[in-house]
Amino acid sequence: MVVIDGKAVSRSVRERVKQETAELKAKGITPGLAVIVVGDDPASAVYVRNKEKACDEVGFYSEKYALPASTTQKELNDLVDELNARPEISGILCQLPLPKHLDDKEVIARINPIKDVDAFHPVNVIGDYHFLPCTPAGIMELIHSAGVDPMGKKAVVIGRSNIVGKPMAMLLLHENATVEIAHSKTQNLADVTKSADILVAAVGKAKFVTADMVKPGAVVIDVGMNRDENGKLCGDVDFESVAPKCSFITPVPGGVGPMTISML
Ligand code: GUN
């Protein structure tokens, strides 16, 4: 069993991006990212700060718009229109979740698909990706780093969120895996997960995936970020019991987490 080192893979992705950015800058092109955050969700504030830092590190130009929770839909839409029109802004990201009175679908649809770095716009979701959604893209990078080719393998994704589960299934399908999406209403879940050569857990429940749910030799990817009964950070997978059964597994922390912003 090998524990996949997300921090190391993440570092190598950032090095690659830094080099590619330097090459672009030599041709007079500077990638520019605009990040919009509305309200004062503490987790969003951390993500956005880390996104800005990562931009600096690789040499991107970046702008942050921290808007008050009282921002109206029109004000948000107008900002997106303005950023769509500015040539020095090549990517626009509106951090989710938005305050309840704002419609995230409306904002996402308003971003020009060629600037939609999250790949959340319907045009991008259909699969003709200009960009890849960053968490699933990071997972594909981890799978590749382990030398695993999804072609012909059975992949099971537990979770069907728009940000992780659904696009994850599409990326695995794109690489010719046979893909099944399981979720909270799936019957006989363990039978489904036990069929997986590649199992991706994105459920949001601490230590939800136990050893009896995993096929011997499986590649197990843990997208979870939870607290256990002692308040310790843990994933959706019960690492201690599951790891000995796997060929490869990602830890929490230090697996999928460090990849997301690097892929962005
Ligand atoms: N909130 C949690 N993850 C993400 C993400 O990848 N993109 C955006 N825009 N918001 C998020």
Side-chain angles (χ1 to χ4, degrees):
M1 180 274 297
V2 174
V3 179
I4 300 175
D5 184 348
K7 280 193 204 154
V9 181
S10 165
R11 269 197 301 275
S12 74
V13 169
R14 284 195 198 201
E15 275 309 311
R16 196 169 78 208
V17 175
K18 198 170 169 175
Q19 202 173 337
E20 287 173 5
T21 305
E23 284 164 21
L24 282 172
K25 281 179 157 174
K27 293 185 207 157
I29 303 163
T30 301
L33 178 69
V35 179
I36 306 169
V37 57
V38 188
D40 39 33
D41 179 69
S44 290
V46 175
Y47 286 134
V48 167
R49 199 170 333 117
N50 288 338
K51 285 169 185 175
E52 273 190 294
K53 266 200 244 164
C55 283
D56 285 347
E57 192 187 317
V58 298
F60 287 8
Y61 170 69
S62 74
E63 290 180 0
K64 179 171 110 176
Y65 295 85
L67 308 180
S70 58
T71 301
T72 64
Q73 188 79 45
K74 173 154 191 330
E75 285 166 339
L76 188 53
N77 291 349
D78 287 350
L79 174 58
V80 169
D81 290 348
E82 190 188 304
L83 296 169
N84 278 336
R86 285 179 50 205
E88 70 276 27
I89 299 298
S90 35
I92 304 168
L93 181 150
C94 181
Q95 188 68 26
L96 303 179
L98 289 172
K100 287 208 168 24
H101 68 282
L102 296 172
D103 184 347
D104 53 5
K105 287 198 182 69
E106 189 174 327
V107 180
I108 287 165
R110 202 154 183 120
I111 296 174
N112 183 336
I114 67 163
K115 296 190 177 188
D116 168 36
V117 285
D118 272 318
F120 290 167
H121 189 284
V123 163
N124 284 324
V125 170
I126 286 166
D128 183 18
Y129 287 112
H130 296 286
F131 295 99
L132 297 175
C134 52
T135 300
I139 291 168
M140 296 311 293
E141 191 80 20
L142 292 175
I143 290 172
H144 296 151
S145 80
V148 173
D149 181 358
M151 182 162 65
K153 297 203 169 62
K154 173 71 187 284
V156 173
V157 179
I158 324 175
R160 54 175 159 177
S161 70
N162 291 330
I163 292 185
V164 181
K166 284 184 208 160
M168 183 74 255
M170 295 305 286
L171 297 192
L172 286 161
L173 180 63
H174 187 72
E175 294 200 13
N176 303 306
T178 302
V179 183
E180 191 166 356
I181 306 179
H183 47 81
S184 56
K185 306 285 190 292
T186 298
Q187 292 181 359
N188 305 320
L189 180 63
D191 288 343
V192 176
T193 58
K194 262 192 294 197
S195 71
D197 303 305
I198 299 172
L199 180 62
V200 180
V203 247
K205 287 189 187 151
K207 303 182 186 179
F208 180 80
V209 175
T210 46
D212 56 307
M213 296 166 71
V214 176
K215 179 177 178 174
V219 177
V220 174
I221 306 289
D222 191 346
V223 192
M225 188 67 87
N226 317 293
R227 298 272 166 192
D228 70 8
E229 59 282 5
N230 304 315
K232 205 174 144 223
L233 203 60
C234 73
D236 291 347
V237 176
D238 181 26
F239 187 88
E240 259 177 48
S241 73
V242 171
K245 278 188 98 169
C246 301
S247 55
F248 295 94
I249 186 167
T250 63
V252 176
V256 174
M259 292 301 293
T260 297
I261 291 180
S262 300
M263 297 312 291
L264 172 72

